[in-house]
Amino acid sequence: MSELAYLAGVFDGEGSFGNWSRGTDKGREFRVSIEMADSDVILRFLTYFQKGTITLRPPRQEGYKTLYHWRVCRDKGKEVVRLMLPYLSKRRQAKFHEVSLS
């Protein structure tokens, strides 16, 4: 299995994308993100696409795990989704075409 197909499969189940608010009076921007406790998987996204940033989210309470969050914004985010598009579910493909045009 190719690395791109693997990452797209993980993203299809765990990731998200859309046009998100940048805060009061700053408009909206396209964002791609995935968050999970498996740091090695998140690092594979950064390594493969060579785009975005990884941030750590400490456990919210005792017994919870540290979460690793990879995010890519604007046109670079759209580039990432376009690469994964052939491997994403029909629902995700339709959503991308809907939000990338708005």
Side-chain angles (χ1 to χ4, degrees), residues 29-32 49-53 70-84 96:
E29 71 179 4
F30 185 83
R31 289 186 198 156
V32 175
F49 292 109
Q50 296 291 300
K51 293 175 179 30
T53 58
W70 176 71
R71 180 170 70 180
V72 185
C73 300
R74 301 188 254 328
D75 288 341
K76 290 180 181 182
K78 290 179 182 180
E79 290 173 25
V80 166
V81 177
R82 282 188 190 103
L83 289 171
M84 292 190 291
F96 178 71

Side-chain angles (χ1 to χ4, degrees), residues 2 5 13 17 19 30 47 49-50 59-62 71 80 82-83 93:
S2 78
F17 60 82
N19 292 314
F30 185 83
T47 302
F49 292 109
Q50 296 291 300
R60 286 186 262 175
Q61 63 188 43
E62 190 175 327
R71 180 170 70 180
V80 166
R82 282 188 190 103
L83 289 171
Q93 291 176 11

Side-chain angles (χ1 to χ4, degrees), residues 4-21:
L4 179 58
Y6 168 78
L7 294 173
V10 172
F11 184 85
D12 203 38
E14 301 292 330
S16 65
F17 60 82
N19 292 314
W20 302 97
S21 173

Side-chain angles (χ1 to χ4, degrees), residues 2-3 7 9-11 16 19 25-26 29 34 39 41 46 61 67 72-74 85 88 90-91 94-95 102:
S2 78
E3 184 74 355
L7 294 173
V10 172
F11 184 85
S16 65
N19 292 314
D25 299 327
K26 293 185 179 179
E29 71 179 4
I34 185 168
S39 61
V41 176
L46 183 65
Q61 63 188 43
L67 295 177
V72 185
C73 300
R74 301 188 254 328
L85 208 56
L88 297 178
K90 297 293 182 197
R91 178 181 64 84
K95 181 182 176 187
S102 57

